[in-house]
């Protein structure tokens, strides 16, 4: 057990990272659990703290484009065109790795996942440390990603020395992961940047390949994932009985427009960005409140709604009989 400190001091976080320790960091998507991506002993601590299988690869985060170049062999122009639009920000690209990237980072794969984040504290930290930071989401393996420092503390206290508190995450949902196959852009994980936004800049709708595979991670996706501790089910207006012992999460309104204490409405203005920002927080809160079950309404399957439904499909899968 270590004492877990929460700080706003970026230089202190920098110092701890330089010592080869892990630090939880704020990003615009979700909190990450970071370590020096060039120090294997430090990277191993990430897997240990999260209880994450070693074959599940990590994203490398950089401060700028020049820093990336030595770590990749090629950057296809179409992908570069997209990163020019979305970086710094919630887009992760899979690129052929150079031999400076260890197999521990990529799970033995030939491609490395790369992102330049926009959160000002994380960006400043990346500039200060000078090395890439490997960072998965800062939750225990398979659980809901944290979107504030307290969520991280609740899951990882005693397991990590430091949490850099950069406030609540602006996006609230993980980055979109893309790559190339046969000259085509492929989306491997739906995320904070919607398919529609990508299509706008690509001139066509990209193919999505985010199915869980046999060992669960070939394309970076696991079937049972993003789940709260409390059993989670989809809410169905015609068959779900409301009960005081359960928690309910709705997109834009309460049933019959009647406010109840054990329910949360994510966005009264039907804003999917607001819903995305609040979704994980609602799941964390309901986990803390000790409900027997959580029921959640499906989102409209467009824009960020498709991303949110993707997470809920994976999370509810875990509780199917
Ligand atoms: O928004 C985000 O992406 C956050 C913040 C911290 O940057 N990070 C994040 O990391 O969500 P993580 O590890 O929880 O999810 C990254 C996903 C994993 O499913 C992993 O398997 C996949 O990306 N991935 C990472 N490197 C990969 C690679 N080389 N090839 C295929 N999939 C990869
Ligand atoms: Mg994760």
């Amino acid at each position: 057990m270590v004492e877990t400190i929460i700080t706003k001091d970026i230089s202190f976080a920098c110092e701890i990272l330089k010592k080869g320790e892990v630090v939880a960091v704020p990003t615009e998507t979700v909190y990450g659990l970071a370590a020096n991506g060039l120090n294997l002993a430090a990277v191993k601590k990430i897997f240990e703290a999260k209880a994450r299988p070693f074959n599940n690869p990590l994203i490398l985060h950089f401060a700028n484009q020049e820093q990336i170049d030595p770590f990749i062999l090629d950057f296809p122009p179409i992908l570069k065109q997209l990163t020019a639009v979305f970086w710094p920000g919630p887009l992760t690209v899979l690129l052929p790795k150079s031999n400076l990237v260890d197999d521990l980072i990529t799970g033995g794969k030939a491609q490395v996942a790369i992102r330049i984040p926009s959160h000002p504290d994380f960006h400043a930290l990346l500039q200060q440390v000078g090395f890439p930071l490997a960072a998965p989401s800062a939750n225990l393996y398979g659980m809901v990603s944290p979107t504030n420092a307290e969520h991280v503390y609740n899951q990882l206290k005693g397991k990590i020395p430091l949490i850099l508190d950069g406030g609540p995450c602006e996006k609230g949902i993980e980055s979109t992961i893309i790559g190339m196959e046969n000259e085509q852009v492929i989306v491997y994980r739906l995320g904070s940047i919607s398919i529609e936004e990508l299509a706008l800049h690509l001139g066509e709708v990209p193919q999505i390949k985010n199915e869980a595979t046999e060992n669960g991670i070939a394309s970076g996706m696991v079937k049972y994932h993003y789940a709260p501790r409390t059993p989670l089910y989809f809410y169905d207006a015609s068959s779900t009985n409301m009960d005081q012992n359960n928690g309910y999460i709705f997109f834009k309104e309460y049933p019959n427009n009647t406010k109840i204490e054990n329910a949360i409405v994510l966005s009264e203005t039907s804003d999917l960005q607001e819903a995305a920002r609040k979704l994980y927080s609602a799941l964390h809160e309901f986990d803390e409140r000790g409900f027997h079950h959580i029921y959640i309404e499906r989102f409209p399957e467009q824009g960020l709604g498709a991303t949110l439904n993707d997470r809920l499909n994976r999370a509810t899968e875990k509780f199917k009989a």
Side-chain angles (χ1 to χ4, degrees), residues 30 50 52 136-139 142-143 145 174 189 225-226:
V30 300
K50 283 186 57 110
R52 177 179 173 114
S137 49
N139 48 278
M143 310 278 283
S145 301
E174 296 83 355
R189 179 172 71 181
H225 220 47
Y226 307 100

Side-chain angles (χ1 to χ4, degrees), residues 139-159:
N139 48 278
L140 290 170
Y141 184 67
M143 310 278 283
V144 178
S145 301
T147 57
N148 65 37
E150 191 190 338
H151 298 156
V152 180
Y153 187 80
N154 290 342
Q155 285 194 39
L156 296 180
K157 62 172 173 292
K159 296 193 165 85

Side-chain angles (χ1 to χ4, degrees), residues 29 52 56-57 59 61 109 111 113 115 136-137 175 177 189 220:
T29 57
R52 177 179 173 114
N56 195 347
I59 299 172
H61 300 78
K109 294 180 211 298
Q111 294 195 310
R115 176 161 106 82
S137 49
S175 63
I177 304 181
R189 179 172 71 181

